[in-house]
Amino acid sequence: MKNKVIVLHRTPVGALSDGDLALKVRDVGELLPGFIRVAVEYISVEPAMRGWVTNRTDYMPRLAPGDTLHAFGIGVVIQSEHAGFTVGQKVIGNLGAQEIADINPEMTELRTALPEPVPSSIQLGMAGITGLTAFFGMTKIARPSVGETFVVSAAAGAVGSVAGQLARLAGCKVIGIAGSDAKSLWLTRELGFDAVINRHSENVKARLDELCPEGIDIYFDNVGGDILDTCLSRLRKGARVVLCGGIATYNATEKPAGPANYFALVHRSALMQGFIVLDYLDEFEPAIEWIMTQYNAGLLINREEMFTGVESLPNALNALFDGSNTGKVLVKT
Ligand SMILES: NC(=O)c1ccc[n+]([C@@H]2O[C@H](COP(=O)([O-])OP(=O)(O)OC[C@H]3O[C@@H](n4cnc5c(N)ncnc54)[C@H](OP(=O)(O)O)[C@@H]3O)[C@@H](O)[C@H]2O)c1
């Protein structure tokens, strides 16, 4: 049996370029005692992968050239040398960017997937890492109330589109910032956003002033950089700023400047807090149940952008950085 694997070939500098990641075809050997063998079905494509390849994060194991790229995935156990797992069981975890994953469940956090008819792909998106990121950012930090003004960046992306829908369900006025008119239309017409600012063709500052005349109660930040700074200067008293991600800075070759307007947090008695979704592993189960209940009731809309084949992963990852994706980017192996 052969396994297609995406490995780190050389540490990227700036934006990911051809040859930073490489496709390898490797023989699948004997399964080691205590391990399980998983046929990966879907791979979750995350902006954070850019940080994982330069070991910029401390919540994932370090990577050296030749190592398999970390990737959350869902797959089926096809062989088991571990008493806790049986063939046919579906699992979710860091299975790596590959078709066949040999995993030691004592070393890798694995969750059992929801049974049929819940589709596998949604368990990496809306009812997986993505939806959970939005859910915990909203429930633990944003804590929205009816009538509050909510702003989210990368609004048509995987996390942003769920966060905006959760804010709408909580009764907020929901303003998105996104990168195209097509995304704006999807967010306003289908997801119920009140308005969307096109960050390329509109003046974000002027539009925020128009759309949020009394300021911003909650800013859910997926991008960092100038947009974070702009939102900080428009906070209302008691505002909450959710630091979820900072994709605008992930390719930076020098340390990005800090937000110049941070002192608004003092003047507005505001809270700015970061988080990693894995902080809430113990609370995943009830959160997924809640999300699926809303989804099944038609109150949340899921959108996926599917790439095919492990070899498509570098292109899939680039889509997040050039903004060509709408919704959750996945690779079907
Ligand atoms: N804290 C956590 O545990 C956690 C977990 C998962 C994800 N995240 C973070 O959440 C954020 C969103 O992740 P995702 O998976 O949902 O990705 P995504 O939003 O689906 O895709 C990224 C989007 O970012 C926007 N973007 C790209 N480059 C940008 C730039 N230079 N300036 C402004 N916007 C830019 C693009 O949208 P537009 O062109 O439409 O603006 C792009 O579609 C990322 O920062 C990610 O690292 C955090």
Side-chain angles (χ1 to χ4, degrees), residues 44-57:
S44 171
V45 184
E46 318 269 346
M49 286 169 157
R50 177 62 190 81
W52 300 343
V53 293
T54 35
N55 296 313
R56 218 183 284 151
T57 59

Side-chain angles (χ1 to χ4, degrees), residues 47 133 157-159 179 183 199 222-223 244-246 250 275-277 320 325:
T133 300
V159 174
K183 291 183 182 187
R199 71 181 171 98
N222 287 315
V223 304
C244 176
Y250 290 174
F275 75 108
I276 289 292
V277 63
L320 300 174
N325 72 302

